[in-house]
């Protein structure tokens, strides 16, 4: 039973592509057959984060328009053999996507994969609408700040009204993934707290990804953070989130401020 | 004499006019087809009463006698055949309905016969309130000018509720609420927690900046006192 999962947010730059790659790789590591699709036509990034940018021949638009077969456009990951990428076109724009074409591709992928992860572009226009159109589940990526949370709220409203599931009277299963969470700033009250975010969005939490240099480092070398440094804090948080997606119950770890011995001594002295 | 007779003679005037008729296409076996007609009549008696009916026999090869028999059978069911289509003219005798040609198909707008008035569904009074059981998300706009709106959940920042009557929010009101938009100055806005961007009643409004900070995050109501909007805590 294939699961179509859209990774979306409304706002740009919150970590949709990073999260798609990290969750996709974590699911594939757990033995699931996974394909990640880049819906950001014209501004593609997922191929870079996955480290597959030098192997792109055909893309999503070619398949939508019937120029290439799905098998020709799918790129197999070099590290995980059950992880595949369907890249976006960089030379076209979102108008090249059609509802019918996307529906056909998703239906075909459903027969071949366990998980179909759709990396949504930012915004609420055609690309984002078609990325969520056929979703069974949604991961809403949110940063702990008001603008991101409000945009997420807007996207949740659209998931409840504009998807095929919603039109059939069913519901898209929604999860909140909080990224770029900085425990030190949260402790100082400079960020929205986890409770505030969940209270505003009234949607279950999938995971909390701490702000970390490891994320940027992994992107730069073209590797999902869960593969690049599996022991790092963000990688562990993404792996836990992926396990929750598969239905396991995993304790939620709220990232806490790590203070060294010296810090603690200094802190005590200052107090 | 002859001239006067000429002057008073009425001319017979002929005009063409087309009408919509039901076209029946009987199928073999005819008895089975008649049973279908009976079933339709059982469901809605009087469905064909007073309606012009044309028989299209082009799919069948019936003798003159068989056609007479079929027309008779339909008449027994109170279905009067206006004309017959798709047979050779020589098969029809003068006592039979005339042969029709040149028919064009069209859409029949079904006006169901008025059955017993008792069965008629009573015209429901328009609902005067709207209940929303899920949160109203950012960007959503709920407009209900016929009465009150109740939300079991929060109203997100960037969402708006427009009501002809009062607005009740059993959650946090972070968006805009506009009550009494039809000029109802006695409409009120109630919410479990007030963080609204804008409150308006009958055109009088307050923005978030004007709402007293001490009210924030508390249950509150807003109402109109003359031309000023009052916002007070609920407990």
């Amino acid at each position: 039973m294939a699961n179509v999962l859209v990774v979306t947010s409304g706002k740009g730059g919150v970590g949709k592509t990073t999260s798609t790659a990290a969750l996709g790789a974590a699911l594939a590591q757990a033995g699931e057959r996974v394909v990640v699709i880049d819906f950001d036509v014209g501004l593609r990034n997922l191929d870079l984060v996955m480290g597959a940018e030098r192997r792109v021949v055909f893309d999503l638009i070619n398949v939508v328009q019937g120029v290439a077969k799905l098998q020709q456009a799918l790129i197999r990951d070099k590290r995980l053999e059950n992880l595949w990428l369907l890249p976006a076109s960089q030379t076209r724009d979102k108008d090249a996507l059609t509802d019918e074409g996307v529906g056909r591709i998703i239906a075909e992928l459903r027969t071949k994969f366990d998980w179909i992860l759709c990396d949504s572009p930012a915004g609420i226009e055609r690309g984002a609408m078609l990325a969520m159109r056929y979703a069974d589940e949604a991961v809403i990526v949110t940063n702990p700040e008001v603008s991101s949370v409000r945009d997420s709220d807007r996207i949740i409203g659209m998931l409840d009204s504009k998807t095929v599931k919603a039109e059939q009277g069913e519901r898209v299963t929604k999860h909140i993934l909080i990224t770029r969470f900085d425990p030190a700033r949260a402790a100082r009250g400079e960020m929205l707290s986890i409770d505030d975010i969940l209270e505003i969005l009234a949607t279950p939490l999938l995971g909390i990804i701490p702000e970390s240099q490891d994320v940027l480092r992994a992107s730069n070398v073209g590797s999902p953070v869960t593969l690049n440094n599996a022991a790092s804090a963000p990688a562990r948080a993404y792996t836990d989130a992926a396990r929750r997606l598969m239905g396991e119950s995993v304790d939620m770890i709220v990232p806490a401020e790590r203070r060294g011995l010296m810090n603690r001594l200094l802190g005590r002295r200052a107090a | 004499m002859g001239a006067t007779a000429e002057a008073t003679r009425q001319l017979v005037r002929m005009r063409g006019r087309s009408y919509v008729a039901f076209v029946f296409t009987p199928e073999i076996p005819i008895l089975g087809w008649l049973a279908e007609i009976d079933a339709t009549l059982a469901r809605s008696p009087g469905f064909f009463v007073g309606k012009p009916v044309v028989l299209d026999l082009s799919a069948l090869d019936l003798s003159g006698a068989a056609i007479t028999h079929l027309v008779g059978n339909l008449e027994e069911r109170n279905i009067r055949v206006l004309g017959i289509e798709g047979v050779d003219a020589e098969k029809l005798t003068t006592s039979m309905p005339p042969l029709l040609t040149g028919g064009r198909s069209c859409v029949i707008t079904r006006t169901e016969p008025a059955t017993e008035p008792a069965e008629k569904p009573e015209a429901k009074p328009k609902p005067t309130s709207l209940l929303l059981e899920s949160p109203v998300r950012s960007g959503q706009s709920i407009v209900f000018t016929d009465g009150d709106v109740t939300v079991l959940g929060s109203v997100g920042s960037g969402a708006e509720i427009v009501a002809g009557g009062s607005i009740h929010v059993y959650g946090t009101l972070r968006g805009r609420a506009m009550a009494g938009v039809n000029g109802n100055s006695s409409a009120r806005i109630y919410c479990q927690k007030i963080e609204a961007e804008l409150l308006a009643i009958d055109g009088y409004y307050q923005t978030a900046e004007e709402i007293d900070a001490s009210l924030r995050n508390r249950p509150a109501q807003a109402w109109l006192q003359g031309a000023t909007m009052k916002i007070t805590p609920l407990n």
Side-chain angles (χ1 to χ4, degrees):
Chain A
M1 183 53 196
N3 249 310
V4 179
L5 182 141
V6 60
V7 180
T8 185
S9 70
K11 195 175 184 302
V14 294
K16 285 181 295 298
T17 301
T18 305
S19 298
T20 307
L23 289 174
L27 288 167
Q29 272 180 316
E32 304 279 298
R33 286 169 301 165
V34 181
V35 59
V36 291
I37 312 178
D38 193 347
F39 272 86
D40 206 346
V41 180
L43 293 168
R44 74 177 191 211
N45 283 149
L46 189 57
D47 54 332
L48 288 170
V49 178
M50 298 284 290
E53 74 278 7
R54 285 141 65 92
R55 293 192 287 145
V56 175
V57 183
F58 294 108
D59 55 50
L60 179 64
I61 299 301
N62 294 142
V63 185
V64 164
Q65 294 180 338
V67 176
K69 290 206 178 73
L70 195 51
Q71 285 78 1
Q72 294 175 292
L74 284 171
I75 302 169
R76 182 177 235 154
D77 191 82
K78 280 188 169 168
R79 296 145 296 207
L80 293 168
E81 63 164 12
N82 47 351
L83 176 62
W84 298 74
L85 165 72
L86 182 54
S89 168
Q90 184 71 356
T91 54
R92 310 296 295 270
D93 60 36
K94 272 96 179 164
D95 294 336
L97 286 171
T98 62
D99 190 344
E100 182 270 329
V102 172
R104 188 163 39 81
I105 291 174
I106 298 279
E108 198 176 337
L109 290 171
R110 272 181 195 275
T111 64
K112 298 182 169 70
F113 292 94
D114 301 317
W115 290 91
I116 299 149
L117 269 58
C118 305
D119 180 23
S120 172
I124 52 170
E125 287 79 26
R126 191 179 184 81
M129 288 298 107
L130 285 174
M132 69 165 67
R133 183 88 184 119
Y134 296 92
D136 306 311
E137 291 190 45
V139 169
I140 299 117
V141 182
T142 304
N143 288 171
E145 48 156 313
V146 281
S147 56
S148 174
V149 172
R150 182 162 75 182
D151 290 359
S152 295
D153 196 41
R154 175 101 215 243
I155 282 289
I156 293 171
M158 296 186 141
L159 285 163
D160 286 340
S161 60
K162 300 276 165 73
T163 52
V164 171
K165 276 226 149 176
E167 284 168 10
Q168 289 171 348
E170 296 171 57
R171 290 206 138 211
V172 174
T173 310
K174 299 177 290 287
H175 315 271
I176 299 292
L177 184 68
I178 298 173
T179 55
R180 310 197 70 167
F181 183 79
D182 185 335
R185 289 185 60 202
R188 290 197 298 271
E190 293 171 8
M191 282 181 152
L192 279 180
S193 74
I194 306 278
D195 289 343
D196 285 346
I197 298 170
L198 297 181
E199 207 252 320
I200 293 172
L201 297 178
T203 303
L205 179 65
L206 180 71
I208 307 162
I209 315 298
E211 169 86 77
S212 166
Q213 286 301 311
D214 291 308
V215 175
L216 186 64
R217 217 172 287 139
S219 289
N220 285 341
V221 297
S223 170
V225 66
T226 35
L227 292 184
N228 192 50
N229 181 1
S232 65
R236 287 207 310 269
Y238 274 121
T239 306
D240 283 354
R243 285 169 64 196
R244 289 184 196 108
L245 279 179
M246 289 185 288
E248 286 179 47
S249 91
V250 184
D251 286 341
M252 187 74 64
I253 298 164
V254 180
E257 197 179 352
R258 265 193 294 173
R259 305 168 79 189
L261 182 63
M262 281 308 283
N263 270 338
R264 251 183 284 171
L265 288 173
L266 289 170
R268 208 166 277 166
R269 194 172 295 165
Chain B
M1 273 280 282
T4 20
E6 195 91 351
T8 52
R9 203 171 78 191
Q10 288 283 322
L11 287 172
V12 180
R13 298 215 283 186
M14 310 269 247
R15 286 203 188 102
R17 194 167 286 179
S18 65
Y19 296 91
V20 175
F22 281 101
V23 177
F24 282 5
T25 47
E27 285 159 23
I28 292 173
I30 298 287
L31 279 181
W33 180 78
L34 282 171
E36 281 298 309
I37 294 277
D38 286 336
T40 309
L41 284 173
R43 277 197 301 275
S44 46
F47 188 80
F48 299 112
V49 171
K51 303 249 170 72
V53 168
V54 171
L55 274 182
D56 179 0
L57 300 176
S58 53
L60 302 175
D61 188 21
L62 296 180
S63 65
I67 296 172
T68 313
H69 188 65
L70 177 60
V71 171
N73 268 321
L74 290 171
E75 262 166 20
E76 276 169 30
R77 290 165 173 80
N78 271 327
I79 299 170
R80 294 181 59 197
V81 177
L82 173 81
I84 298 179
E85 203 180 25
V87 289
D88 291 334
E90 57 260 32
K91 281 190 185 167
L92 300 180
T93 60
T94 45
S95 61
M96 279 192 226
L99 181 71
L100 294 178
T101 51
R104 278 171 302 173
S105 53
C106 67
V107 179
I108 293 178
T109 47
R110 285 206 169 192
T111 44
E112 290 286 331
T115 43
E116 304 86 86
E119 267 184 49
K120 215 175 181 180
E122 290 163 40
K124 275 189 191 163
K126 250 187 167 180
T128 55
S129 65
L130 175 70
L131 173 68
L132 302 166
E133 295 194 75
S134 48
V136 180
R137 303 288 182 179
S138 179
Q140 289 181 330
S141 175
I142 309 292
V143 181
F144 184 75
T145 52
D146 295 331
D148 292 9
V149 175
T150 307
V151 185
L152 298 179
S154 297
V155 177
S157 158
E160 64 177 16
I161 311 270
V162 180
S166 298
I167 296 172
H168 310 256
V169 181
Y170 293 94
T172 310
L173 173 56
R174 298 191 182 86
R176 299 159 158 244
M178 286 162 249
V181 289
N182 295 335
N184 178 3
S185 56
S186 60
R188 294 190 177 199
I189 300 167
Y190 308 87
C191 60
Q192 200 73 263
K193 241 178 162 188
I194 184 167
E195 281 181 50
E197 291 166 348
L198 181 138
L199 296 175
I201 299 172
D202 187 19
Y204 295 97
Y205 67 90
Q206 282 201 8
T207 59
E209 250 182 19
E210 295 155 328
I211 299 171
D212 196 342
S214 66
L215 288 166
R216 295 254 138 195
N217 274 319
R218 294 175 64 182
Q221 66 161 328
W223 81 96
L224 275 189
Q225 195 179 62
T228 40
M229 183 189 282
K230 295 275 183 185
I231 305 173
T232 48
L234 269 175
N235 50 4

